[in-house]
Amino acid sequence: MHQHDPDDSKVRKIRRAAERLFLRHGFGGVSTAALAREAGVSKETLYSRFPSKEAVLADVLAHLIPAGVPDTAATAQPGTWGDLERALRHLAYALHRALSRRQYIELARIVIAETPRLPEAGETFRRAVPEHALQITAELLAAGRKAGLVGDVDEMTAARMFVGPLVVHALMGVLLAAPREQETGPEPMDLDAHVDLFLRAVAKDAG
């Protein structure tokens, strides 16, 4: 995904305007002209920051994840089993908080509704939301493997095992919950049990 200057005020305006409009009208119901107008920028400015409406959606989705989550892989170099456990537990809790945010759930509902008509919306959702979490998890596992903590596993496959249930749990609150439950988000997930089970599966002496 294209990286924007975090100090670019125009990008922040476009992002906030897009979130408001997408939640109000759906992805397909928002034109780039309306988006530029809501953000208070010209269409030229909009296209200089984002090549397409799909790119704006990807940016909105990605920035619903707290800024601290992507730093995990950069700072965590697990040298002990405790280091790896703490890093994965921190990641699980941070990602769960992000996925359980009402804005994320409402945007997920919009994307799911739009996907049959606009397959690119679903593709954008899949790329933007779990991609960085999968990469973080795979990097943590690779570091753990190098330290002799993690067994001979395919890091990306194992990362999908870790991230997938967190994403599915959030989406279950959208797809299957009653309207009243949708207002509060999905039921809490036992994150500690999830992390413990995952660690047992990837440990060097597993099996």
Side-chain angles (χ1 to χ4, degrees), residues 189-202:
M189 180 178 177
D190 191 339
L191 298 175
D192 290 322
H194 173 63
V195 173
D196 291 342
L197 183 61
F198 179 76
L199 284 168
R200 287 200 296 272
V202 301

Side-chain angles (χ1 to χ4, degrees), residues 10-187:
K10 296 293 197 306
V11 168
R12 294 197 299 272
K13 286 182 179 180
I14 294 167
R15 185 182 301 138
R16 289 194 295 268
E19 183 175 332
R20 289 193 299 271
L21 290 181
F22 290 156
L23 290 174
R24 194 180 306 154
H25 303 295
F27 178 72
V30 178
S31 67
T32 52
L35 181 52
R37 187 165 54 249
E38 178 78 8
V41 301
S42 67
K43 287 185 70 174
E44 290 75 16
T45 296
L46 174 64
Y47 281 117
S48 72
R49 268 67 172 186
F50 299 96
S52 66
K53 192 171 65 169
E54 289 74 27
V56 180
L57 176 61
D59 183 78
V60 169
L61 291 170
H63 281 82
L64 287 176
I65 306 299
V69 174
D71 295 335
T72 302
T75 58
Q77 292 295 324
T80 68
W81 186 254
D83 293 340
L84 181 62
E85 181 180 355
R86 281 188 293 274
L88 287 172
R89 212 172 294 279
H90 170 77
L91 178 57
Y93 273 87
L95 185 57
H96 183 261
R97 282 194 302 271
L99 295 173
S100 298
R101 289 181 62 189
R102 184 172 178 178
Q103 298 99 313
Y104 173 85
I105 291 174
E106 289 178 353
L107 281 170
R109 187 183 302 120
I110 289 169
V111 169
I112 291 166
E114 298 283 2
T115 295
R117 187 173 63 86
L118 292 169
E120 64 269 23
E123 180 65 25
T124 296
F125 182 88
R126 290 192 300 272
R127 286 198 314 266
V129 178
E131 181 181 74
H132 67 291
L134 288 170
Q135 188 61 40
I136 290 168
T137 307
E139 289 179 15
L140 284 171
L141 292 172
R145 189 175 178 182
K146 185 176 180 181
L149 307 170
V150 173
D152 186 17
V153 300
D154 180 277
E155 284 94 358
M156 190 52 70
T157 299
R160 291 189 182 97
M161 288 174 58
F162 182 78
V163 174
L166 297 170
V167 175
V168 169
H169 180 261
L171 295 183
M172 291 286 280
V174 176
L175 295 175
L176 300 178
R180 183 179 300 175
E181 293 170 335
Q182 290 176 356
E183 291 297 316
T184 59
E187 287 296 314

